[in-house]
C-alpha cells in the first residue's frame, strides 16, 4: 500500500486546516458578524451623541444668556438698550441686516464705575458667529469696544 502525497487541502499530518473546514468557515462568519455589529453600534452611538450635543449646547447657551440677562437687569442695565446698541454695532461692521441676525447676550462684566462696564453679545449671521463687546461711555451710552 502506498501513501498518497498530501494534497493542498491537508497539512503534513493529514488534517484539514481550520481555515477551510466547516467549523473554520462558521467561526469566521461569526467573527465577521460580531465585528459588523460592533462597528454599527459604535457608529449609531456616535451619531446619537452628535445629535444630542447640539441640543445640549443650545440649552447651555440659553442658560448662560438668561444668567447674563438677569445680571444685567439686576444691575439696572436696560437689556433693550444694550440689544439695540449691539445690533447697531453689527450693522456698522457689515455683519448683517437686523432681521437676519440672531443676537444673544452671553456675559456682563460690571466693574466699579461706568467706564469699565462690558457686555458681550454673540451675533449669529447664518452659519457664522461673531462676538461683539460693548462698553459704556461716561454718559452711560453703550458703544462697541
Amino acid at each position: 500500500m502506498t501513501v498518497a502525497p498530501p494534497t493542498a487541502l491537508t497539512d503534513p499530518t493529514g488534517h484539514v486546516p481550520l481555515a477551510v473546514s466547516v467549523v473554520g468557515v462558521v467561526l469566521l462568519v461569526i467573527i465577521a458578524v460580531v465585528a459588523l455589529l460592533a462597528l454599527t453600534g459604535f457608529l449609531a452611538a456616535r451619531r446619537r451623541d452628535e445629535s444630542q450635543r447640539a441640543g445640549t449646547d443650545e440649552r447651555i447657551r440659553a442658560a448662560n444668556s438668561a444668567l447674563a440677562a438677569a445680571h444685567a437687569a439686576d444691575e439696572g442695565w436696560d437689556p433693550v438698550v444694550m440689544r439695540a446698541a449691539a445690533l447697531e454695532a453689527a450693522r456698522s461692521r457689515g455683519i448683517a441686516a437686523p432681521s437676519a441676525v440672531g443676537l444673544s447676550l452671553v456675559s456682563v462684566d460690571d466693574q466699579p464705575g461706568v467706564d469699565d462696564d462690558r457686555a458681550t453679545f454673540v451675533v449669529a449671521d447664518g452659519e457664522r458667529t461673531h462676538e461683539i463687546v460693548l462698553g459704556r461711555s461716561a454718559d452711560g451710552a453703550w458703544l462697541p469696544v
Side-chain angles (χ1 to χ4, degrees):
M1 217 189 284
T2 62
V3 177
T7 63
L9 295 178
T10 60
D11 63 10
T13 61
H15 295 95
V16 177
L18 181 64
V20 293
S21 70
V22 174
V23 173
V25 171
V26 169
L27 286 175
L28 288 175
V29 168
I30 290 172
I31 290 171
V33 167
V34 168
L36 184 64
L37 287 173
L39 178 65
T40 304
F42 171 75
L43 293 175
R46 189 170 152 191
R47 184 176 300 137
R48 185 196 68 222
D49 289 345
E50 287 175 4
S51 69
Q52 288 179 346
R53 183 177 303 133
T56 302
D57 289 347
E58 181 59 35
R59 283 184 280 154
I60 290 170
R61 278 192 294 277
N64 285 337
S65 179
L67 180 62
H71 180 69
D74 183 46
E75 297 300 326
W77 298 358
D78 188 359
V80 175
V81 173
M82 294 168 60
R83 181 176 174 80
L87 285 173
E88 181 60 35
R91 196 172 26 252
S92 70
R93 292 181 184 176
I95 293 174
S99 61
V101 170
L103 187 65
S104 299
L105 175 63
V106 293
S107 72
V108 173
D109 183 17
D110 182 29
Q111 297 296 321
V114 176
D115 295 339
D116 294 327
D117 291 346
R118 299 283 183 263
T120 305
F121 285 85
V122 171
V123 181
D125 176 16
E127 292 184 9
R128 298 177 301 157
T129 59
H130 307 275
E131 190 173 278
I132 293 182
V133 179
L134 300 177
R136 291 177 78 180
S137 64
D139 64 350
W142 289 98
L143 302 170
V145 175

